[in-house]
Amino acid sequence: MRIGADPRALRVAPTKRGAIERAVRVVALFEAFKGVLVLLVGTGLIALRHRGAYDVALALIEHAHLNPASRYPHIFLDAASDLQNTRLLLIAAGAALYSAVRFVEAYGLLFGRSWAEMLAVLSGGIYLPFEVAGLVEHRTPLHAAMLLANLAVVAIMLHALVRKRAGLQSSP
């Protein structure tokens, strides 16, 4: 311990560091969850390829006891009938790529990699303007929760990056 160093400051730093590390782990698990969710959706799209998208859409409408001739179910059926195998495969490939990025980011965050923290800040920051616009257009609890969750992720990751950089600069 350095002469003149405040012992209370030494006790606070590890606790604060531990809280930040736990928050980063929560973000990593959140990113992995998003990757799993999108991967499941992509897998479902591939399954649609083998069973017609129109048939699945019609079954969903019937299950919900909706009238297929009414406006919104009809729009849904038109969109389902317009999906071709190529488009479904492209959407599924995009979902797989998105999932891969989320899994790599989660891995990097779990193992304390700076590049993963930077990726989390950038990928979270990209969505913020769209989420603000979505909240302005549709004032729903879901839009508010999505914006708050993304703001929390960006804030946690920025804080972790700043602390890591400050620690690297103060090292001899």
Side-chain angles (χ1 to χ4, degrees), residues 29-46:
L29 294 174
F30 179 64
E31 296 301 329
F33 172 75
K34 290 191 313 187
V36 167
L37 187 63
V38 171
L39 193 60
L40 290 173
V41 169
T43 304
L45 288 174
I46 291 175

Side-chain angles (χ1 to χ4, degrees), residues 130-145 147:
F130 299 106
E131 289 173 356
V132 168
L135 183 61
V136 168
E137 188 174 327
H138 307 285
R139 294 174 192 238
T140 64
L142 178 63
H143 282 89
L147 177 61

Side-chain angles (χ1 to χ4, degrees), residues 4 6 10-11 13 26 46 53 61 70 83 105-106 120 126 145 147 149 153 169-170:
D6 184 9
L10 296 175
R11 282 194 304 247
V26 168
I46 291 175
I61 288 172
S70 64
L83 284 176
E105 180 180 345
I126 286 172
L147 177 61
V153 166
Q169 290 174 354
S170 65

Side-chain angles (χ1 to χ4, degrees), residues 57-77:
L58 187 59
L60 286 172
I61 288 172
E62 288 173 356
H63 181 73
H65 302 291
L66 298 173
N67 179 4
S70 64
R71 182 175 179 206
Y72 293 113
H74 188 70
I75 292 170
F76 184 58
L77 286 173

Side-chain angles (χ1 to χ4, degrees), residues 78-112:
D78 284 346
S81 66
D82 191 36
L83 284 176
Q84 296 113 6
N85 284 341
T86 306
R87 188 178 294 170
L88 281 174
L89 286 176
L90 285 173
I91 293 170
L97 180 63
Y98 178 88
S99 292
V101 169
R102 294 293 150 228
F103 292 145
V104 167
E105 180 180 345
Y107 171 84
L109 290 174
L110 284 173
F111 290 98

